[in-house]
Amino acid sequence: MESIQSAAQVTSWLVTGRVLFLLIHILGVLCFACIVAKRLVPLVRGQRDLRFDQPLVRLGRVLKFWLGQWKQPRYKVAGTIHIFIFTGFIVLAIRAFSVLIVGVSQNFVMPGLSGRTGEIYNTITDYAATVVFLCMAIAVIRRLVFKPARYAVPTRFGKAHTADAIFLLSLIAILMVADSLFAAAKAAAQSQQGQPLEVLAVFSLPWILQGVFASTALPTLGRLYFGAYLLHEVTFYFLLCYRPFGIQFHVETSLFNIYFAKLDREILKPVRWGVSDEHLDQVKSFGVKTFEDFTWKHMLDFYSCADCGRCSDNCPANAVGRPLSPRFITTKARDYAFQHYPVVGSSNNGTPLIGGIYSADEIWSCTTCGACEEECPLLVEYIDKIVDLRRGMIDDGNVPQSLQKPLKALESRGNPYGKMEKKKADWTKAKEFQQTCDVRVLNGNDGADTLYFVDSITAYDDRMQSIGRATAKILNHVGENFGILGAAERDSGHEVRRFGEETLFMALRDHNVEAIKASGVKRIVTADPHAFNALKHDYKDVPPVEHISQVIAREVKAGKIKFNPIKKADNVYTYHDPCYLGRHNKIYDDPRDVLDAIPGLKRVEMSRSRDRSFCCGGGGLMLFYEPKEDERMGVKRVRMAAEAGANVIVTACPFCMVNIEDAIKVAGMEGKMTAIDLAELVDQQIAHESQKVA
Ligand code: SF4
Ligand code: SF4
């Protein structure tokens, strides 16, 4: 181009553009490398985390969740904006690289992007720059004017990062304008000189700017061209080096965070990676007490959070005003890392997290429902961190008062109620039930195929015993050769483990595994999703386990279970997904299929259902813990059912049943709303051979 000098050729203050831009490149890259190296220091000091297995599976997840932006559309407006920005960035990445090289080598063309391909690529980048610019403007307006509630930062959780977010969005917008101005000035000069034009995409930002500068004098266009290039370079490197100081660091770390994300979310992390249960007594300190007790991957999570607030938006603890909002578990830890591992200066570590950045109540408030993890587009993990923080508190003897008694009872009696082991099978002794269904206590020599694992709440709670009896009757109806462990069954330990009491959990698990093995069964069935999750994911070497809803769905399909029509025609049913059946084990359809197979049953969906189900508040020993909250989770859930037009809530978990029935009373909806377990409903509706099936 003769009309205006290329950026590399321009000489000002005796320095050629080539030298100037080479210096900027070297300085920018060096600065970025030093900052990132400092940011990696805590990760090097963090605990082990084994995330290097199954590279192909992990790459597949990168394609799905990072490149494919899989979770973004769950939030339509913000998700669409993010997909546009992300796609724009990917498209512009190659262009940004070639523009950087042009500063030191004016004729550089990216291999493969000359001729017609180059023209097509340039057209796409023109539009990409325009879209990213517009998205930045929309994002700034959203944050400043519309202020979605999930971006707000309550004072108890720290300071809002709005100014930082807007500054960064503006920098990206400036980068897009500089890039477009650079292309527009060049095209305007070519046009004035009658040279072959680099065609700019119609209605794109460069195209509009070319129109604006069409009649600008050539020398001015030259200065504009050089100035736009310089602005692009400086903004690019400033952005690169500034991002690791705030939420935009996720641009660099998210790909790695997704690659190293947990492959099986249901399996809780061990107390220490690489230390087997047998060697746990050699571990000096359990759980997370200081920042350095987090694993390197959990620290990477802190850097990778985009502060979008989706986790907290879906967190039931946050919704009812408990002192927990998962987003701030992350942002407070990130602020801690930035403050204690500064880029300039030496690190200052080892301060306790509880009482420092987190309160004990905040950490006990979690029900481990998994809604936060389900929602996070960057696969940030919470349950493992929260359980690790609890393990640390338990190790220090910091146990909430209300939980001390159930924990002692679990230790001495194997159940949180402190009831006698010999009473564990008393639920089978109800007179009417015994006449129709004989439940054997297995001794290992009775040739039973199936174990019905009852667990503490169903065995001991008077109301929940009805779920146990219904389950046994269903198994009996389909001809299952089954029995129970009776006094030999201890609590599954599911809640104990999530509460952070790993040693007690191990004792309960080992006892149960031995009893299950001694029973000689080939498979296990349970009606309790918590027991189901423990047996499936926390236990090893036990026969395969199924939830009763899976058994019923299969037998309905096989024609072994047929139903009588619903008698109350005005009943409208809704199904509440228990967290440990739905979100944690992806069993959404079986219970619904069963309900839909009952003739005359009218079913509606609540606004929050399936993987967005709203926790009833029962997980993580919550039945024994009284958190500070404005409203019960169960009450919120019952209101959601009423809003959906239902008057019967069906669930498939005894913990949900306790909470929902209680919530119906608290909400003053007795007589207007009832709750029933799926097994109870199926037992009521089963058409026995003597009955006529409609
Ligand atoms: S697991 Fe549930 S309760 Fe716990 S932080 Fe996540 S969303 Fe909140
Ligand atoms: S953890 Fe995930 S969902 Fe929560 S604010 Fe960060 S990026 Fe968003």
Side-chain angles (χ1 to χ4, degrees):
M1 189 174 65
E2 288 167 21
S3 58
I4 53 175
Q5 287 183 307
S6 80
Q9 289 170 321
V10 173
T11 302
S12 54
W13 295 307
L14 301 177
V15 181
T16 62
R18 186 172 285 111
V19 173
L20 175 69
F21 293 121
L22 188 62
L23 279 175
I24 292 178
H25 291 333
I26 294 171
L27 207 64
V29 171
L30 271 180
C31 267
F32 178 67
C34 289
I35 293 166
V36 170
K38 286 291 259 186
R39 286 286 178 250
L40 291 178
V41 171
L43 272 71
V44 174
R45 293 193 188 166
Q47 299 296 319
R48 281 182 81 186
D49 207 334
L50 304 182
R51 309 276 185 145
F52 299 94
D53 58 335
Q54 306 190 55
L56 289 180
V57 176
R58 291 182 182 281
L59 277 176
R61 284 159 62 89
V62 167
L63 290 180
K64 178 176 175 180
F65 293 108
W66 186 78
L67 197 59
Q69 298 280 290
W70 191 258
K71 295 209 176 185
Q72 287 296 345
R74 290 171 74 93
Y75 277 71
K76 290 202 172 53
V77 177
T80 309
I81 294 174
H82 195 276
I83 289 171
F84 276 129
I85 295 172
F86 179 83
T87 314
F89 272 21
I90 296 285
V91 169
L92 290 167
I94 304 169
R95 173 166 169 86
F97 187 69
S98 36
V99 169
L100 291 178
I101 306 275
V102 163
V104 287
S105 168
Q106 72 259 28
N107 295 322
F108 176 79
V109 177
M110 187 65 81
L113 289 183
S114 54
R116 186 81 188 118
T117 322
E119 278 171 26
I120 294 170
Y121 177 70
N122 285 341
T123 305
I124 295 171
T125 56
D126 288 348
Y127 285 128
T130 313
V131 168
V132 172
F133 174 77
L134 289 174
C135 287
M136 291 301 132
I138 295 168
V140 169
I141 293 167
R142 256 170 71 79
R143 283 199 176 250
L144 284 179
V145 182
F146 297 105
K147 298 181 183 170
R150 70 192 152 89
Y151 293 149
V153 183
T155 44
R156 67 181 189 277
F157 291 125
K159 281 190 303 181
H161 294 88
T162 315
D164 186 38
I166 292 189
F167 179 57
L168 278 155
L169 292 170
S170 310
L171 279 179
I172 297 168
I174 290 171
L175 193 67
M176 295 303 113
V177 171
D179 189 359
S180 304
L181 203 53
F182 169 69
K186 187 176 169 185
Q190 285 171 332
S191 163
Q192 286 187 25
Q193 292 293 294
Q195 293 175 351
L197 265 185
E198 260 183 40
V199 183
L200 300 177
V202 183
F203 296 124
S204 67
L205 193 56
W207 182 84
I208 294 168
L209 289 171
Q210 185 201 0
V212 172
F213 296 109
S215 50
T216 305
L218 267 183
T220 312
L221 279 180
R223 283 193 291 276
L224 203 59
Y225 174 80
F226 181 76
Y229 187 82
L230 185 62
L231 181 65
H232 181 275
E233 296 291 277
V234 172
T235 313
F236 177 87
Y237 281 114
F238 183 77
L239 246 179
L240 193 68
C241 296
Y242 184 74
R243 277 202 300 244
F245 289 87
I247 60 167
Q248 284 280 336
F249 197 21
H250 79 269
V251 174
E252 272 84 24
T253 60
S254 59
L255 188 150
F256 302 100
N257 203 52
I258 288 175
Y259 180 85
F260 291 117
K262 202 173 172 182
L263 295 181
D264 192 343
R265 262 179 35 202
E266 286 62 52
I267 298 178
L268 268 188
K269 83 172 269 295
V271 172
R272 284 270 184 273
W273 281 105
V275 180
S276 65
D277 288 355
E278 295 73 42
H279 295 102
L280 267 188
D281 51 351
Q282 291 164 17
V283 173
K284 284 197 196 115
S285 165
F286 273 38
V288 167
K289 294 174 185 172
T290 66
F291 186 75
E292 295 68 30
D293 292 331
F294 280 122
T295 72
W296 64 264
K297 171 60 179 65
H298 287 171
M299 293 179 183
L300 186 62
D301 273 352
F302 299 142
Y303 287 162
S304 304
C305 168
D307 209 12
C308 68
R310 296 178 188 205
C311 49
S312 295
D313 200 27
N314 285 275
C315 171
N318 183 41
V320 297
R322 289 189 189 183
L324 166 67
S325 179
R327 167 189 172 202
F328 301 110
I329 295 283
T330 294
T331 55
K332 286 192 283 186
R334 181 174 53 208
D335 290 349
Y336 179 98
F338 287 176
Q339 202 185 336
H340 289 76
Y341 289 90
V343 167
V344 181
S346 51
S347 53
N348 152 31
N349 50 34
T351 50
L353 295 174
I354 303 293
I357 59 171
Y358 304 134
S359 72
D361 279 346
E362 186 175 4
I363 303 306
W364 294 126
S365 287
C366 173
T367 65
T368 69
C369 73
C372 48
E373 297 190 358
E374 188 71 40
E375 208 60 49
C376 180
L378 296 166
L379 310 189
V380 169
E381 295 154 20
Y382 280 104
I383 296 175
D384 278 351
K385 290 183 195 123
I386 285 173
V387 170
D388 253 348
L389 284 157
R390 290 174 173 179
R391 286 171 177 160
M393 283 195 278
I394 297 270
D395 198 43
D396 285 344
N398 182 357
V399 183
Q401 186 72 30
S402 60
L403 285 162
Q404 290 178 6
K405 211 169 146 198
L407 282 173
K408 280 215 174 71
L410 277 157
E411 226 172 298
S412 57
R413 293 257 175 240
N415 69 81
Y417 309 99
K419 302 252 175 126
M420 311 271 276
E421 293 95 317
K422 64 179 183 192
K423 289 184 178 278
K424 192 126 198 189
D426 279 6
W427 61 274
T428 62
K429 294 178 186 155
K431 211 170 165 196
E432 240 177 75
F433 171 73
Q434 259 186 334
Q435 285 164 359
T436 54
C437 184
D438 180 32
V439 180
R440 285 177 296 165
V441 175
L442 302 177
N443 61 21
N445 299 317
D446 19 38
D449 299 324
T450 304
L451 167 70
Y452 169 29
F453 193 96
V454 187
D455 219 350
S456 306
I457 187 167
T458 310
Y460 290 120
D461 185 290
D462 291 346
R463 162 66 184 90
M464 301 313 136
Q465 287 178 352
S466 147
I467 300 176
R469 287 190 282 270
T471 306
K473 278 158 79 180
I474 294 165
L475 291 174
N476 202 34
H477 178 84
V478 298
E480 202 68 60
N481 180 6
F482 78 101
I484 58 171
L485 292 177
E489 183 193 294
R490 297 249 160 109
D491 190 277
S492 67
H494 185 266
E495 310 318 302
V496 174
R497 190 168 199 216
R498 273 128 199 100
F499 176 73
E501 248 293 14
E502 188 74 7
T503 321
L504 177 54
F505 161 74
M506 279 166 23
L508 295 166
R509 176 199 62 191
D510 293 349
H511 174 95
N512 283 331
V513 169
E514 256 186 49
I516 292 168
K517 281 185 178 163
S519 72
V521 296
K522 298 189 197 76
R523 63 190 195 110
I524 308 173
V525 172
T526 181
D528 182 337
H530 298 250
F532 173 71
N533 195 62
L535 288 159
K536 196 165 175 197
H537 302 294
D538 295 342
Y539 285 36
K540 281 193 197 101
D541 303 328
V542 291
V545 56
E546 276 186 309
H547 185 260
I548 190 67
S549 60
Q550 296 175 287
V551 177
I552 304 169
R554 191 176 53 244
E555 299 298 355
V556 167
K557 272 181 206 135
K560 273 202 196 172
I561 294 182
K562 294 207 182 330
F563 294 115
N564 288 316
I566 286 284
K567 281 197 187 117
K568 284 195 172 177
D570 52 347
N571 271 358
V572 180
Y573 294 76
T574 190
Y575 176 67
H576 162 76
D577 292 274
C579 304
Y580 276 98
L581 195 61
R583 222 162 8 235
H584 286 284
N585 284 292
K586 310 277 173 274
I587 299 173
Y588 300 115
D589 292 329
D590 285 340
R592 288 176 169 82
D593 289 349
V594 171
L595 291 177
D596 293 343
I598 300 176
L601 185 143
K602 279 184 235 137
R603 183 170 71 80
V604 291
E605 283 289 358
M606 284 184 266
S607 56
R608 290 193 56 174
S609 63
R610 301 179 76 94
D611 64 359
R612 270 194 170 154
S613 180
F614 188 86
C615 178
C616 68
L621 275 189
M622 283 295 154
L623 287 186
F624 303 95
Y625 179 60
E626 284 158 19
K628 293 173 198 149
E629 58 190 5
D630 303 335
E631 190 182 19
R632 289 193 194 181
M633 290 180 193
V635 171
K636 258 199 183 308
R637 192 54 169 160
V638 168
R639 295 221 172 93
M640 287 181 205
E643 276 160 26
N647 59 358
V648 185
I649 302 173
V650 184
T651 185
C653 169
F655 287 90
C656 295
M657 185 55 72
V658 174
N659 281 295
I660 290 174
E661 285 197 333
D662 213 31
I664 290 172
K665 288 183 204 138
V666 174
M669 292 169 77
E670 278 172 296
K672 292 184 208 139
M673 182 76 75
T674 53
I676 189 166
D677 189 88
L678 184 76
E680 293 175 313
L681 181 64
V682 166
D683 176 42
Q684 269 177 25
Q685 295 299 130
I686 277 186
H688 295 278
E689 269 170 29
S690 54
Q691 294 172 304
K692 192 171 175 240
V693 178

